[in-house]
Amino acid sequence: MAIEDRLRLVFYRVDPEPHIRVNADACPACPDGPCTFCCPAECFQRDGDRIRFLHDGCLECGTCLLVCAPGAITWTYPRGGCGVAYRFS
């Protein structure tokens, strides 16, 4: 089964409160914006010199923690009962 097909089987219970916060002061200093092309769910989008995070489809994989500069994002798990639920994988 292709990864795209597997991702369609992911269930999300979206928390209205985002679990990742982007430090707007750090983004203009980041020339490449690795989060915009490393996030497998494409949750990070460049908006001029800012980065926007759309938490609705986040896979909670932690890739953004690895590629972003220290202090650029604050990452926590979603509140209990919210977030991603993998099934049939």
Side-chain angles (χ1 to χ4, degrees), residues 4-89:
E4 292 83 10
D5 296 327
R6 286 181 182 234
L7 287 175
R8 285 189 201 101
L9 298 175
V10 174
F11 172 75
Y12 299 95
R13 183 161 182 224
V14 179
D15 188 346
E17 192 67 33
H19 63 284
I20 294 178
R21 304 252 186 230
V22 176
N23 179 348
D25 296 331
C27 294
C30 181
D32 299 326
C35 59
T36 60
F37 56 87
C38 288
C39 176
E42 299 177 348
C43 292
F44 291 89
Q45 297 176 356
R46 188 169 286 280
D47 184 16
D49 63 346
R50 298 179 58 213
I51 301 290
R52 292 187 316 136
F53 174 68
L54 307 171
H55 73 286
D56 295 7
C58 180
L59 299 172
E60 300 166 30
C61 65
T63 301
C64 53
L65 284 175
L66 298 174
V67 299
C68 287
I73 60 171
T74 303
W75 194 98
T76 59
Y77 285 104
R79 293 185 298 175
C82 295
V84 64
Y86 296 99
R87 57 185 179 191
F88 307 120
S89 57

